Amino acid sequence: KKPVSIKFENVNFNYTAGSRTLRNLSMHFEPGTKNAIVGSTGSGKTTILNLIGRLYDIGSGKISFNGDDISKLSISSVRDQITIVSQDIVIFDQSLEDNIRYADPLATKEMIIDAAKKAKIDKLLLERKENPVGPNGSQLSGGQKQRIALARAFLKPAPILLLDEATSALDALTEASIAQSLLKLSENTTTIVVAHKLSSIKDADIIFVLDEGSVVEIGTHSELMKKKKHYANMVNTQNKNSQ
């Protein structure tokens, strides 16, 4: 898998007529880099990920992978290049193993156990055996569901990795133990992280700060802290609230 260059050029998009979710948005996610998108609720962060996966088509402008306009590519060829770990996880009332296999129906049991180990859900996999996990995974905690999503990502790595609040339901210990696995998962990929916890994206190569569907700041963590504007205010507010 070779990392992909993702470009948004003057993208306009709205979910409903008369509203503007994204306005003239231009962004470039360089191949093989870790990018973070931050901003207040409703600023358009998750929308960007939805558009990359072609869950919706844009109103005007262009989104391209390695220069190819994605609206001219088949939806399956676009999605084959993407692994997504989000807070909205589809869980089936089947065994844990079947739920992980969803990412790659041809995977062997060994491959599934290996992916489960990397996502720190292998113990549960062995304990539950063939028992179904309940409708929408009702017998699992939020953290366990997120680890299923991570295991799926390990099972079928792709050149684009989208992480939408990917560890929001994990406790601090589990999150720390998965951090190394996530680093491994993002090797040789173009990674885009949407995170509410700003401490988790300090190491991003570039951070895009969104406000009402437009990019208002771009830079590394230290560059943006020096500017003492949007991003610095968000970080300082979070630090105060967590004390």
Side-chain angles (χ1 to χ4, degrees):
K1 58 171 189 178
K2 278 184 76 172
V4 175
S5 160
I6 306 169
K7 235 178 181 167
F8 278 59
E9 296 170 71
N10 302 318
V11 170
N12 286 291
F13 172 76
N14 48 310
Y15 288 106
T16 54
S19 72
R20 290 290 284 286
T21 308
L22 300 178
R23 310 148 195 259
N24 283 332
L25 189 74
S26 293
M27 307 170 92
H28 185 195
F29 304 104
E30 303 263 4
T33 56
K34 178 179 177 180
N35 306 267
I37 304 175
V38 303
S40 54
T41 305
S43 58
K45 304 184 295 290
T46 298
T47 300
I48 290 169
L49 302 190
N50 289 342
L51 295 178
I52 290 171
R54 274 197 69 189
L55 294 179
Y56 303 92
D57 284 323
I58 60 177
S60 63
K62 181 180 165 186
I63 301 174
S64 57
F65 288 178
N66 292 337
D68 296 325
D69 185 338
I70 66 168
S71 68
K72 306 220 170 27
L73 302 172
S74 71
I75 288 182
S76 61
S77 74
V78 168
R79 293 188 186 157
D80 277 348
Q81 299 186 66
I82 298 171
T83 300
I84 182 158
V85 182
S86 78
Q87 44 190 352
D88 298 321
I89 303 149
V90 179
I91 304 279
F92 304 98
D93 190 10
Q94 293 168 341
S95 70
L96 209 57
E97 185 180 321
D98 286 337
N99 268 291
I100 296 171
R101 184 179 277 112
Y102 172 68
D104 179 2
L106 302 175
T108 62
K109 196 173 179 86
E110 286 69 33
M111 287 161 72
I112 287 169
I113 289 171
D114 181 55
K117 276 184 181 153
K118 288 174 179 161
K120 301 274 191 283
I121 197 164
D122 48 314
K123 276 200 186 113
L124 192 68
L125 181 75
L126 296 171
E127 278 167 19
R128 291 196 65 100
K129 300 192 172 66
E130 292 305 306
N131 292 316
V133 296
N136 299 323
S138 57
Q139 296 172 21
L140 302 173
S141 69
Q144 288 166 341
K145 289 180 192 176
Q146 278 195 315
R147 281 181 277 172
I148 288 176
L150 285 165
R152 286 175 180 167
F154 282 114
L155 188 61
K156 189 175 180 281
I160 297 170
L161 175 63
L162 306 179
L163 302 172
D164 186 6
E165 301 280 6
T167 55
S168 58
L170 302 180
D171 59 82
L173 273 174
T174 310
E175 188 174 10
S177 67
I178 280 179
Q180 287 306 104
S181 303
L182 270 176
L183 267 180
K184 236 183 157 45
L185 186 61
S186 60
E187 275 171 16
N188 297 323
T189 68
T190 304
T191 303
I192 304 175
V193 184
V194 165
H196 178 66
K197 258 193 284 190
L198 299 177
S199 56
S200 66
I201 51 125
K202 276 183 183 166
D203 62 335
D205 296 304
I206 190 155
I207 299 168
F208 294 89
V209 184
L210 246 62
D211 188 41
E212 294 186 355
S214 300
V215 175
V216 290
E217 282 185 309
I218 300 176
T220 61
H221 171 77
S222 56
E223 285 165 0
L224 293 174
M225 288 306 286
K226 280 184 194 135
K227 281 187 180 170
K228 297 190 171 155
K229 287 188 181 163
H230 290 267
Y231 179 77
N233 289 341
M234 287 163 64
V235 170
N236 294 333
T237 304
Q238 273 197 11
N239 289 345
K240 270 197 198 105
N241 292 343
S242 63
Q243 279 167 8

